[in-house]
Amino acid sequence: LRQREVISIGHSSIFNQQLCHKRERTDSMSSYKGFQEGISLEYLRDEVRAFAQERDWDQFHTPRNLLLAMVGEVGELAEIFQWKGEVDPGVPKFSDKEREHLGEEISDVLIYLIRLADRCQIDMATAALKKLKKNAAKYPADKARGKSDKYTSYNDGKTDDAKRQEIESNSEGQGVNSSCKKSAQRETDNVQKLRGGETSTFSNDSLGHLKIIVGAILVYLIIYLAVGH
């Protein structure tokens, strides 16, 4: 009986520890208020630039190299979620160590992305806001709410500018197609003429060869007959 009480108390202690740890993690997630204020993309850009310049890494930070490095970091980030199935928002089943690792890999991707934009001389913040405006036009809130359809499902998913560009593109395409058809027809005619000429030439050559062969046979027969007599 004494041993059972000890075991029961031990199990209860472990359960309480797990429950407290789960509550702490839940409290940590519920206390998430977004990104830290006062840290802008410009601040991060300056920090990353200074980090690279202190190590004389500008020579290696070409757009291509940075892009490939970022893709590698995205792969490491994806590896965290590999074989876990669907993960709920807030990653509640992640341990503290896994959450820390997740933050590090996300940071690596962000650092490379900021550095890539800087080396390409792209104002990342402005470009992102412009893209959001375009996406708002492609996915009207009143039509896309609660849906995951492609943007073409909503008013053809095209803004007035996009429609105008498409019309211009189609007009240009029709002109190009017409020109291509005419060019192709000319090429076809030329090939047919060339083939016709080759056929005619081949026929004449064959006829000439046939005459030579027949003539040679006749000469051979005449000589043979003459010698035989």
Side-chain angles (χ1 to χ4, degrees):
L1 180 62
R2 188 80 174 170
Q3 186 177 6
R4 290 181 180 177
E5 289 178 355
V6 171
I7 294 175
S8 176
I9 293 173
H11 286 172
S12 177
S13 177
I14 294 173
F15 175 76
N16 289 334
Q17 289 178 1
Q18 293 176 343
L19 181 61
C20 290
H21 183 66
K22 184 175 180 181
R23 285 177 178 173
E24 289 176 359
R25 189 178 305 166
T26 303
D27 292 341
S28 175
M29 289 187 299
S30 62
S31 64
Y32 172 73
K33 302 299 182 182
F35 301 158
Q36 181 176 336
E37 295 182 3
I39 300 180
S40 63
L41 286 176
E42 179 61 17
Y43 173 81
L44 290 175
R45 185 185 72 88
D46 287 339
E47 289 293 311
V48 175
R49 173 183 284 189
F51 180 91
Q53 290 178 346
E54 287 174 358
R55 292 157 180 78
D56 191 23
W57 284 357
D58 282 352
Q59 57 182 318
F60 309 119
H61 285 185
T62 62
R64 174 184 176 276
N65 286 345
L66 290 169
L67 174 61
L68 294 178
M70 185 178 67
V71 170
E73 294 299 337
V74 171
E76 293 185 16
L77 174 59
E79 189 177 4
I80 296 177
F81 295 90
Q82 190 175 17
W83 314 125
K84 289 184 178 296
E86 191 58 57
V87 178
D88 294 330
V91 290
K93 295 182 180 180
F94 275 32
S95 66
D96 292 338
K97 185 177 181 180
E98 287 177 322
R99 289 180 63 85
E100 182 179 0
H101 185 203
L102 176 61
E104 290 175 350
E105 297 302 335
I106 291 176
S107 298
D108 283 337
V109 174
L110 177 61
I111 289 170
Y112 273 121
L113 182 60
I114 290 174
R115 184 62 173 157
L116 175 61
D118 187 28
R119 295 295 282 172
C120 291
Q121 298 183 359
I122 299 296
D123 183 347
M124 189 173 171
T126 301
L129 289 177
K130 287 183 178 179
K131 191 62 174 65
L132 279 175
K133 290 181 179 180
K134 288 185 178 180
N135 289 345
K138 291 166 64 175
Y139 295 93
D142 58 331
K143 296 182 179 180
R145 188 183 306 278
K147 300 179 181 178
S148 60
D149 299 333
K150 192 176 180 179
Y151 66 89
T152 51
S153 300
Y154 315 111
N155 281 334
D156 296 330
K158 302 168 185 174
T159 61
D160 293 338
D161 290 340
K163 290 180 179 179
R164 186 180 68 256
Q165 291 177 1
E166 182 180 11
I167 293 173
E168 293 175 354
S169 177
N170 289 337
S171 300
E172 293 176 358
Q174 291 176 357
V176 171
N177 289 337
S178 178
S179 177
C180 288
K181 288 180 180 180
K182 292 180 181 179
S183 178
Q185 185 60 44
R186 286 196 299 268
E187 291 295 331
T188 302
D189 294 340
N190 291 335
V191 170
Q192 290 178 348
K193 290 179 181 178
L194 180 59
R195 287 179 177 177
E198 290 176 350
T199 303
S200 177
T201 302
F202 178 78
S203 299
N204 293 335
D205 291 342
S206 299
L207 183 59
H209 291 159
L210 182 60
K211 289 179 179 179
I212 293 173
I213 293 172
V214 171
I217 293 174
L218 290 176
V219 171
Y220 175 80
L221 288 174
I222 292 172
I223 294 174
Y224 175 79
L225 292 175
V227 173
H229 286 296

